[in-house]
Amino acid sequence: MQIRTGDTFDPRVVALLDHHVAAARAQTAPGSAHALDLAGLRVPEVAFWTGWDSETLVATGALKALSAAYGEVKSMHTLQTARRRGYGGEMLRHIIAEARARGLHRLSLETGSWDYFKPAHALYQAHGFVPCGPFEGYAEDPNSLFLTLDLSGG
């Protein structure tokens, strides 16, 4: 997979992100979906990437700077027909490497707690993320799972 800086105006990217946001909202209780829309991905504190298999868009991922030392994984999504091929893991490793390169000490994320999100839970935990409490404006929510990764250990 080739990872590129994401173009939030590319119609292929827009379509996949629209699907991601719609699916997250459909699989989460009202008020508990926190997926970024296009406007949220276009703010300066968010770095957004897309993953391509040749000219097929297969994955997205973003890193939101919360402070000089703290970041949040956002907009992780893999095309349904491209799942179980390692694209999600490759995108997550890219985000972790970028966070380290930027000098971040911690990377956290929020994802849904429902069965639909179990593959995401497994992916994040396989990369060292562990459960944590709500962070950066999130509230305790039975529909959310909060995970964190300590980057200070190298």
Side-chain angles (χ1 to χ4, degrees), residues 28-105:
T28 306
S32 293
H34 303 287
L36 289 179
D37 59 11
L38 286 167
L41 289 170
R42 292 176 179 149
V43 299
E45 61 269 17
V46 173
F48 172 64
W49 297 279
T50 51
W52 301 82
D53 181 359
S54 186
E55 286 305 308
T56 302
L57 175 62
V58 294
T60 64
L63 171 61
K64 181 178 181 181
L66 302 176
S67 74
Y70 195 18
E72 180 180 6
V73 175
K74 297 296 289 182
S75 299
M76 283 286 297
H77 186 77
T78 302
L79 182 69
Q80 183 68 37
T81 58
R83 292 187 179 167
R84 314 251 351 124
R85 295 187 198 167
Y87 296 132
E90 195 170 337
M91 181 61 75
L92 183 58
R93 286 187 297 278
H94 177 80
I95 292 169
I96 293 167
E98 282 288 326
R100 283 193 168 114
R102 293 169 187 224
L104 301 183
H105 298 278

Side-chain angles (χ1 to χ4, degrees), residues 2-53:
Q2 181 187 33
I3 296 176
R4 305 175 191 162
T5 298
D7 177 357
T8 59
F9 295 97
D10 182 321
R12 299 167 295 181
V13 174
V14 171
L16 186 59
L17 289 169
D18 283 348
H19 170 77
H20 168 62
V21 170
R25 290 184 178 151
Q27 295 294 330
T28 306
S32 293
H34 303 287
L36 289 179
D37 59 11
L38 286 167
L41 289 170
R42 292 176 179 149
V43 299
E45 61 269 17
V46 173
F48 172 64
W49 297 279
T50 51
W52 301 82
D53 181 359

